[in-house]
Amino acid sequence: MIVKFKTHGQPSSGYLSFFEDSDIGFPIKRVYYTYGAPQGTKRGFHAHKELQQIAWCPYGDITLILDNGIIREEVRLDKPTLGLKIGKGIWCEMIWNKAESVLCVAASMHYDESDYIRNYDEFLRHVKEGYWND
Ligand code: TYD
């Protein structure tokens, strides 16, 4: 789900964009960012059992591919005002369309490797078994 951040500013002095817990629907426990990647870099290739995240690209141009096991969807983060919410149970791949693009992420949980699913077949098994069904 795309989130458009509230923004203040003008071209003569620049802009400030922001969001708070209430704008994204979960409390933030961790922030991380990825940078210094050449054009064409692909990262991600994993899903999360419980983690909820919001990703944004404050500089550059990055495509995110979101896959729920049935539908694959592409979202391009090429403006600093755009955020993308990534829920649990979504396989995610990222492609750097422009070198030096920066991907920032705010996450609902502390880092926990056991929350990752890094194997696509295992992800599909979880989907089939209804792991994320309410
Ligand atoms: P990973 O999530 O696999 O990165 P990407 O999805 O961009 O390919 O993380 C890369 C490495 O960094 C991996 O060894 C786990 C580690 N890591 C942490 O230690 N803490 C963190 O908060 C994150 C996101 C990753």
Side-chain angles (χ1 to χ4, degrees), residues 7-17 80-81:
T7 299
H8 292 283
Q10 59 276 314
S12 58
S13 56
Y15 298 90
L16 184 154
S17 294
T81 51

Side-chain angles (χ1 to χ4, degrees), residues 30-34 42-46 48 51 53 92-94 96 103 105 107 109-113 116 118:
R30 173 167 55 108
V31 172
Y32 63 90
Y33 44 97
T34 312
K42 293 183 176 175
R43 300 187 61 114
F45 299 92
H46 46 66
H48 285 277
L51 190 71
Q53 307 189 86
C92 188
E93 304 173 8
M94 296 89 88
W96 259 247
L103 185 67
V105 179
M109 292 164 39
H110 295 145
Y111 174 70
D112 175 5
E113 184 60 35
Y116 280 77
R118 292 187 180 274

Side-chain angles (χ1 to χ4, degrees), residues 35-96:
Y35 53 92
Q39 183 180 13
T41 296
K42 293 183 176 175
R43 300 187 61 114
F45 299 92
H46 46 66
H48 285 277
K49 293 175 186 159
E50 297 301 331
L51 190 71
Q52 300 179 75
Q53 307 189 86
I54 181 162
W56 70 102
C57 177
Y59 174 82
D61 183 342
I62 298 173
T63 296
L64 282 87
I65 298 168
L66 305 181
D67 179 342
N68 66 3
I70 299 163
I71 294 168
R72 268 167 91 84
E73 157 182 40
E74 276 193 25
V75 176
R76 198 158 177 180
L77 295 181
D78 58 357
K79 293 183 189 70
T81 51
L82 290 181
L84 177 67
K85 273 179 72 171
I86 306 165
K88 58 186 173 180
I90 301 291
W91 183 266
C92 188
E93 304 173 8
M94 296 89 88
I95 303 165
W96 259 247

